Amino acid sequence: MCSSDLDILEEDSEILIILEVPGIARKELSNARKGKGLSVAGNKSLGQERRLGQYYQMERPFGTFTRYFELPVSVEEHLIQTHLDNGLLQIRIPKPLDEQPRKILME
């Protein structure tokens, strides 16, 4: 079973999710929106380096994982942006304008 650590950051204009996915190719990742939630799934295979014979020790995780998280704001699916670089998947979810903080001028 493979797992993936993450951070979720709420900023004024967006929610930023940073998910560790080392060794997982872009084509092995998927995400889906469900209500106010978002799920990310992936598959990490053993790859070409798998050897025949009996392993003495095996610590590198492989397999599938799914992470699901509820978001504090409603999500417009077509505005979600994802970026994968050096084993980090960044998901940027813009907040609707009516949920962003507004400055009030004082007189």
Side-chain angles (χ1 to χ4, degrees):
M1 175 89 172
C2 187
S3 67
S4 186
D5 294 331
L6 66 90
D7 294 329
I8 301 177
L9 221 67
E10 183 173 5
E11 298 176 338
D12 286 344
S13 62
E14 69 181 2
I15 304 291
L16 173 62
I17 300 168
I18 303 171
L19 192 70
E20 291 183 349
V21 290
I24 301 176
R26 184 181 316 272
K27 66 181 180 180
E28 297 293 331
L29 292 168
S30 64
N31 58 46
R33 184 180 68 84
K34 189 175 191 178
K36 281 184 97 174
L38 185 70
S39 68
V40 176
N43 181 38
K44 182 176 181 182
S45 61
L46 276 175
Q48 298 293 339
E49 71 276 0
R50 185 174 186 175
R51 309 264 191 260
L52 295 176
Q54 188 170 343
Y55 280 90
Y56 174 72
Q57 185 168 341
M58 182 180 233
E59 295 182 4
R60 294 179 301 145
F62 64 94
T64 60
F65 72 91
T66 301
R67 296 295 307 260
Y68 176 80
F69 19 89
E70 290 283 329
L71 300 170
V73 297
S74 58
V75 175
E76 294 189 47
E77 188 175 328
H78 67 282
L79 297 177
I80 296 174
Q81 297 177 344
T82 61
H83 179 74
L84 178 63
D85 187 36
N86 291 329
L88 291 177
L89 175 64
Q90 291 187 9
I91 304 170
R92 294 186 178 277
I93 306 163
K95 289 181 175 179
L97 290 175
D98 62 338
E99 295 191 35
Q100 293 182 21
R102 294 185 196 138
K103 291 183 180 180
I104 298 173
L105 297 176
M106 295 207 273
E107 295 182 23

